Amino acid sequence: MNRILVIAEHAGGRLNPSTAKCVTCARAIPQAEVTVLVLAADGAPVAAQAATLAGVARVVHTDNPANAQPLAAVLAPQIAALAGPYSHVLGPSTTFGRDLMPRVAALLGTSQISDIMAVDGDRRFKRPVYAGNAIVTVEVTSDKIVGTVRVASFEAAPAGGNAAVESAAPAAGIPTHTRFVSVSAGKSDRPDLQTASKVVSGGRALGSAENFEILYRLADRLGAAVGASRAAVDAGYAPNELQVGQTGKIISPELYLAFGISGAIQHLTGIKDARTIVAVNKDSEAPIFEVADIGLVADLFQVVPELERLLGAG
Ligand SMILES: Cc1cc2nc3c(=O)[nH]c(=O)nc-3n(C[C@H](O)[C@H](O)[C@H](O)COP(=O)(O)OP(=O)(O)OC[C@H]3O[C@@H](n4cnc5c(N)ncnc54)[C@H](O)[C@@H]3O)c2cc1C
């Protein structure tokens, strides 16, 4: 029996879909018994959501005012204190998990396997290297396995579970050297980039933050999230949190619309798992056309308004 501990990601009392994807990864491990751990100020509502995921045997929540914000320095010791009986401790390879899981691994005296994209056995996993250009199979030799799950590689576990929910007392000695001061996050009514089914994305070709507005308008017509290449972010046309790619977000939408993006490998690694890629680029030789399912050699400043007009008319 492999006992897997999945660390829940949540905010505002809602379970992030990344947790359901981690559960699918956990269930792929042979003879898995999956427990979800919710660390929160008041974890019961999130635990109740996790309990409905198919394949989850148990949900444990540890309630503590110190857990009101997901500070890695505060959460990691609590996870390490509870990790004893588990063979695997998994978290999502989102910003939350990338921050948290290496600390958990360090506290448990083991190394971390990052970006698990497939499970080949209870200690064997596949993960991408060289910006997704190659896939390596790694075998973990340490007793306890700590890893992050590449959420774009796994479907969310469906509903239908009815796991037992229990609470665990907070660990003693939670560090106080790190405390929450404030969070600065972009506010948007658009779908979350990492979980959106449609994404409209723009590159350097947009030329300015003002021009980028045409993509926001198109995205709103489509009910899509907005993404950007690093060149567009570095130039200040779009905020950091919209960056897609190796050093941005790894996404897996049903539909990815790329406007004026050349298709550098570091960008493509972020959209490898997109179902349908549509590219609009003036240059017929642009590498994005090698991965696009539908390609249009055209000026985006003509195509985007035209698309918007057609969608508006529809
Ligand atoms: C370590 C490292 C990490 C990186 N991480 C990332 C990452 O996470 N994400 C990322 O995106 N990049 C990343 N990069 C940068 C990456 O290498 C590219 O520089 C970047 O993706 C290019 O962005 P772009 O396609 O918008 O710009 P460009 O490469 O300049 O492409 C602009 C494209 O727009 C087209 N175009 C111009 N005008 C129009 C028009 N009017 N209509 C239609 N098409 C037009 C051009 O033909 C061109 O193909 C990284 C690089 C490094 C070294």
Side-chain angles (χ1 to χ4, degrees), residues 81-104:
L82 290 169
Y86 297 94
S87 52
H88 300 63
V89 184
L90 301 179
S93 66
T94 54
T95 310
F96 164 78
R98 287 182 190 183
D99 187 26
L100 175 63
M101 299 312 287
R103 283 177 184 263
V104 175

Side-chain angles (χ1 to χ4, degrees), residues 266-307:
Q266 296 90 354
H267 187 81
L268 298 185
T269 195
I271 57 168
K272 260 166 76 67
D273 297 296
R275 196 65 59 86
T276 302
I277 297 174
V278 178
V280 178
N281 197 303
K282 275 206 309 203
D283 175 8
S284 63
E285 303 287 315
I288 189 103
F289 289 129
E290 287 166 28
V291 299
D293 300 283
I294 300 169
L296 182 60
V297 180
D299 186 333
L300 75 92
F301 292 107
Q302 288 172 357
V303 174
V304 174
E306 179 67 5
L307 264 177

Side-chain angles (χ1 to χ4, degrees), residues 62-83:
T62 296
D63 298 355
N64 190 323
N67 295 341
Q69 301 293 334
L71 298 180
V74 171
L75 302 187
Q78 301 177 66
I79 296 167
L82 290 169

Side-chain angles (χ1 to χ4, degrees), residues 204 229-230 243-244 246-247 262 266-267 281 299-300:
R204 196 198 307 270
S229 73
R230 176 158 160 183
Q243 185 178 318
V244 171
Q246 182 187 344
T247 43
S262 59
Q266 296 90 354
H267 187 81
N281 197 303
D299 186 333
L300 75 92

Side-chain angles (χ1 to χ4, degrees), residues 8-314:
E9 178 174 7
H10 59 92
R14 295 187 66 84
L15 191 65
N16 188 293
S18 65
T19 305
K21 295 180 173 197
C22 285
V23 166
T24 301
C25 173
R27 289 178 67 196
I29 295 168
Q31 294 163 7
E33 185 198 81
V34 180
T35 299
V36 174
L37 174 63
V38 178
L39 297 165
D42 171 18
V46 177
Q49 294 160 50
T52 66
L53 295 174
V56 174
R58 207 164 65 108
V59 180
V60 178
H61 62 98
T62 296
D63 298 355
N64 190 323
N67 295 341
Q69 301 293 334
L71 298 180
V74 171
L75 302 187
Q78 301 177 66
I79 296 167
L82 290 169
Y86 297 94
S87 52
H88 300 63
V89 184
L90 301 179
S93 66
T94 54
T95 310
F96 164 78
R98 287 182 190 183
D99 187 26
L100 175 63
M101 299 312 287
R103 283 177 184 263
V104 175
L107 289 170
L108 292 172
T110 185
S111 52
Q112 175 184 276
I113 166 159
S114 306
D115 291 331
I116 296 170
M117 60 187 296
V119 176
D120 278 2
D122 40 10
R123 323 199 123 256
R124 258 178 187 254
F125 305 93
K126 285 195 167 58
R127 62 175 300 262
V129 288
Y130 302 125
N133 264 342
I135 310 295
V136 287
T137 301
V138 290
E139 179 140 348
V140 185
T141 53
S142 58
D143 276 354
K144 206 175 280 301
I145 297 173
V146 176
T148 57
V149 174
R150 187 176 185 276
V151 287
S153 300
F154 294 91
E155 298 283 334
N162 187 18
V165 177
E166 45 194 85
S167 69
I174 295 175
T176 52
H177 54 65
T178 302
R179 66 192 168 82
F180 175 77
V181 177
S182 68
V183 63
S184 306
K187 280 210 162 37
S188 166
D189 294 334
R190 294 189 183 89
D192 170 50
L193 177 57
Q194 257 176 318
T195 49
S197 63
K198 294 178 218 155
V199 174
V200 172
S201 205
R204 196 198 307 270
L206 268 298
S208 69
E210 292 71 38
N211 287 346
F212 223 86
E213 289 294 327
I214 62 172
L215 297 190
Y216 291 120
R217 285 209 304 268
L218 179 62
D220 290 345
R221 285 272 157 89
L222 290 166
V226 175
S229 73
R230 176 158 160 183
V233 168
D234 285 352
Y237 307 160
N240 264 316
E241 65 265 22
L242 299 194
Q243 185 178 318
V244 171
Q246 182 187 344
T247 43
K249 303 222 161 99
I250 309 283
I251 58 174
S252 53
E254 294 291 320
L255 177 65
Y256 186 72
L257 296 160
F259 293 98
I261 293 178
S262 59
I265 186 66
Q266 296 90 354
H267 187 81
L268 298 185
T269 195
I271 57 168
K272 260 166 76 67
D273 297 296
R275 196 65 59 86
T276 302
I277 297 174
V278 178
V280 178
N281 197 303
K282 275 206 309 203
D283 175 8
S284 63
E285 303 287 315
I288 189 103
F289 289 129
E290 287 166 28
V291 299
D293 300 283
I294 300 169
L296 182 60
V297 180
D299 186 333
L300 75 92
F301 292 107
Q302 288 172 357
V303 174
V304 174
E306 179 67 5
L307 264 177
E308 211 191 324
R309 193 182 61 75
L310 291 170
L311 286 165

